[in-house]
Amino acid sequence: MRPSPPPVLDRAHRLVAEHGWNATAYQILNPGIERWFSAAGDAVIGYVTSARYRVVAGSPICARERLGEVVAEFEDETHGRGLWSCYFAADERLARRLERRGPLDRILLGAQPVWRPASWPGIVAGKASLRAQLHRARNKGVTVTRWPAARAADHPELARCLEEWLSTRGLPPLHFLVEPRTLGRLYDDRRVFVAEQCQGIVAFLVASPIPARDGWLIEQTVRGRHAPNGTSELLVDAALRHFTAAGASFVTLGLSPLSRRSGVEAPRQHLWLRALLAWVRAHGRRFYNFDGLDAYKAKFQPESWEPIYAITSARRIGLGTLYAIAGAFGKMSPVLLVLRALGRAAGQEIAWLRGSSD
């Protein structure tokens, strides 16, 4: 029997189940997230404190008509503590509310792809390359089944698969809105799909509900070392067909950082910030392949792309804001994170060289 969640976590879960509208809403239940509750107890905000910022996971979780009041209460308390706030992975709805309080600054982080699940079978039927990937995995004997949360929670084979996947990443494990260790916080309303081959687990997918939009976020798609090509596509296909049968109206694969696919013009930014983001896109591939992730999500033929922002109540987004965001994801100084990433890259290069010489 799984232990009961702590009361604060259970309280947050109830609010997410009632009011979660932003795609990141369920992620405030993941490990490492701090939670703020309104004085009335009818709203919750998930955040990480980093470099004198509260870096918020998406938007406040509350009734729509309460959003402005909740934002005001949270902002006043944050400023009273001598801190700034930054809403990471926020949408246009929150931006409009924040603008009513006064000047703010925001940057376009990228876009999230969106589907109506009922359209998925037609998308697959019309895309030969996607069908080929699905057939490739099936021909290798890969099958996908949905596991109940009680079975998936902290399952040793899923944990082994996760560790294999993490070992291939260019960066040390990140956290905040890309927290990899979700298997201990599944609840019964998360969905877990497991890919198996020859009785062994090769990959899995975790999807989290977006209750107020009758939708789902495909939060994690994890491939083990021996997963054949097409396995991740087979997992996504199984999840979308499940959501279609369940009558869901919205599915997203989450933020694609630096994506330009939303068609929304980025807010005016300082020249140094535009140059920095361009440099990250061009030279950060060794640690995080932004273009590769964007192309992967785009191949599933989303019906639309929603713009996603980072918004701050500070006068301008500056290096301090970016430093705080990086610290929220790395759970350490961004400088130390980069040094560890370089050390990790060097270790991988040595291992590859040794393997090629054997």
Side-chain angles (χ1 to χ4, degrees):
M1 179 182 295
R2 285 185 292 162
S4 298
V8 168
L9 194 61
D10 197 46
R11 182 182 173 195
H13 178 246
R14 289 196 300 270
L15 287 168
V16 169
E18 186 174 0
H19 300 300
W21 191 91
N22 191 275
T24 62
Y26 206 99
Q27 291 178 283
I28 76 161
L29 305 176
N30 285 341
I33 301 291
E34 302 171 67
R35 297 165 197 93
W36 173 93
F37 293 90
S38 64
D42 62 346
V44 61
I45 292 175
Y47 68 95
V48 172
T49 303
S50 174
R52 300 193 65 77
Y53 274 81
R54 281 175 164 178
V55 184
V56 174
S59 300
I61 297 166
C62 61
R64 186 184 186 95
E65 63 272 13
R66 281 273 288 146
L67 183 59
E69 295 170 348
V70 170
V71 165
E73 184 181 344
F74 178 74
E75 287 287 308
D76 289 344
E77 183 188 310
T78 298
H79 295 161
R81 293 173 179 265
L83 301 173
W84 295 104
S85 59
C86 177
Y87 299 83
F88 189 93
D91 50 37
E92 288 283 2
R93 186 177 73 156
L94 179 61
R96 289 193 296 270
R97 290 287 184 176
L98 287 168
E99 283 172 346
R100 295 177 188 176
R101 284 182 52 85
L104 56 83
D105 197 14
R106 58 174 162 166
I107 58 174
L108 182 65
L109 294 173
Q112 66 180 17
V114 171
W115 295 261
R116 289 175 298 112
S119 301
W120 179 246
I123 291 172
V124 175
K127 178 123 187 203
S129 60
L130 182 54
R131 295 197 306 276
Q133 286 292 86
L134 298 175
H135 291 319
R136 186 172 289 116
R138 292 187 182 116
N139 290 339
K140 292 289 186 179
V142 179
T143 59
V144 175
T145 54
R146 181 191 157 201
W147 282 20
R151 181 184 181 189
D154 296 319
H155 191 284
E157 282 300 293
L158 296 184
R160 183 265 308 160
C161 193
L162 175 62
E163 293 305 321
E164 289 180 358
W165 179 74
L166 289 174
S167 71
T168 67
R169 304 296 93 187
L171 287 169
L174 298 177
H175 303 280
F176 191 42
L177 294 182
V178 289
E179 172 59 50
R181 305 190 190 282
T182 62
L183 295 175
R185 296 275 177 90
L186 291 180
Y187 286 95
D188 290 331
D189 50 359
R190 257 178 172 155
R191 297 287 181 266
V192 182
F193 298 85
V194 178
E196 299 178 78
Q197 181 188 40
C198 300
Q199 306 306 312
I201 293 170
V202 294
F204 67 91
L205 178 152
V206 176
S208 300
I210 312 170
R213 298 184 78 171
D214 189 23
W216 293 86
L217 164 68
I218 295 179
E219 185 173 347
Q220 285 182 291
T221 305
V222 174
R223 291 184 55 190
R225 185 177 297 115
H226 302 295
N229 288 339
T231 299
S232 62
E233 289 85 352
L234 197 62
L235 282 165
V236 172
D237 177 72
L240 277 161
R241 291 182 187 276
H242 171 81
F243 300 142
T244 300
S249 58
F250 176 91
V251 172
T252 179
L253 282 173
L255 173 64
S256 181
L258 303 185
S259 174
R260 304 185 183 99
R261 297 181 188 270
S262 71
V264 172
E265 185 176 351
R268 293 189 63 182
Q269 296 163 352
H270 285 302
L271 180 60
W272 69 266
L273 182 54
R274 294 201 303 271
L276 176 62
L277 294 176
W279 186 92
V280 168
R281 176 188 288 277
H283 301 289
R285 187 175 301 174
R286 179 64 182 81
F287 304 109
Y288 196 103
N289 189 352
F290 296 102
D291 288 340
L293 178 63
D294 193 46
Y296 169 78
K297 295 182 178 184
K299 76 178 176 181
F300 292 104
Q301 300 286 285
E303 296 174 274
S304 62
W305 292 78
E306 296 181 348
I308 301 296
Y309 300 95
I311 307 172
T312 179
S313 57
R315 190 175 297 272
R316 297 291 295 177
I317 288 178
L319 286 175
T321 318
L322 302 182
Y323 189 92
I325 291 171
F329 280 92
K331 278 194 173 178
M332 64 182 74
S333 159
V335 175
L336 182 57
L337 178 66
V338 170
L339 291 175
R340 287 192 178 182
L342 291 172
R344 187 183 182 96
Q348 288 176 340
E349 296 287 354
I350 292 170
W352 291 336
L353 288 172
R354 285 176 176 171
S356 62
S357 63
D358 290 341

